[in-house]
């Protein structure tokens, strides 16, 4: 299954010093690729390099219009994904409701019934 994970555009993703959100994203990436899924993580500002982590934009000021443009760029970049996962991005669910899971603290992508999203 192809999974595209979108980090919130409001926070940078620091791969050189992973803590909090970065550790969650990297562990999700590691776990999902180990069980055979194709996974890419997209973020606004990425510090450092990691395979499958893609810098989508570099916006310093995030307003509603910029956030919408960020989400549309994400959908355009990996539209063939079977599942979109957004970290604190509820607007993503409005743009692609049948293929989106919005991640809030305490959720885990690997705990989802992933096979359901293939249908």
């Amino acid at each position: 299954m192809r999974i595209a994970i979108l980090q919130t555009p409001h926070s940078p993703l620091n791969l050189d010093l992973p803590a909090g959100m970065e550790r969650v994203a990297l562990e999700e990436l590691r776990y999902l690729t180990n069980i055979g899924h194709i996974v890419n993580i997209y973020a606004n500002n990425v510090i450092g390099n990691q395979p499958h982590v893609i810098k989508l934009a570099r916006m310093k000021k995030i307003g509603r219009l910029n956030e919408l443009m960020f989400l549309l760029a994400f959908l355009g970049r990996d539209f063939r994904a079977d599942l979109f996962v957004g970290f604190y991005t509820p607007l993503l669910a409005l743009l692609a409701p049948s293929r989106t899971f919005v991640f809030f603290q305490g959720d885990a992508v690997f705990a989802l019934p992933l096979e359901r999203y293939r249908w």
Side-chain angles (χ1 to χ4, degrees):
M1 177 181 289
R2 260 181 98 98
I3 301 172
I5 299 175
L6 178 65
Q7 293 292 314
T8 178
H10 301 281
S11 301
L13 193 63
N14 188 345
L15 303 173
D16 292 338
L17 189 62
M21 188 168 57
E22 293 92 348
R23 292 196 61 177
V24 170
L26 293 174
E27 283 302 311
E28 293 280 357
L29 175 66
R30 183 188 61 76
Y31 179 82
L32 292 169
T33 54
N34 283 346
I35 61 173
H37 297 290
I38 300 166
V39 182
N40 287 317
I41 297 175
Y42 297 89
N44 180 15
N45 291 318
V46 178
I47 301 165
N49 280 329
Q50 178 87 8
H52 304 286
V53 177
I54 300 161
K55 183 186 339 178
L56 192 58
R58 189 175 196 129
M59 296 182 290
K60 293 187 182 206
K61 186 174 180 181
I62 306 292
R64 280 287 172 213
L65 183 59
N66 282 347
E67 186 176 355
L68 178 61
M69 298 305 290
F70 181 72
L71 293 173
L72 291 174
F74 165 70
L75 290 172
R77 185 79 186 259
D78 207 349
F79 193 73
R80 295 176 301 155
D82 300 307
L83 175 64
F84 299 122
V85 177
F87 281 77
Y88 299 99
T89 55
L91 186 56
L92 179 60
L94 294 174
L95 296 174
S98 63
R99 296 189 285 167
T100 299
F101 173 75
V102 178
F103 182 97
F104 292 102
Q105 189 161 350
D107 297 331
V109 177
F110 63 82
L112 288 174
L114 294 175
E115 292 303 315
R116 178 184 148 232
Y117 287 92
R118 287 189 186 214
W119 302 326

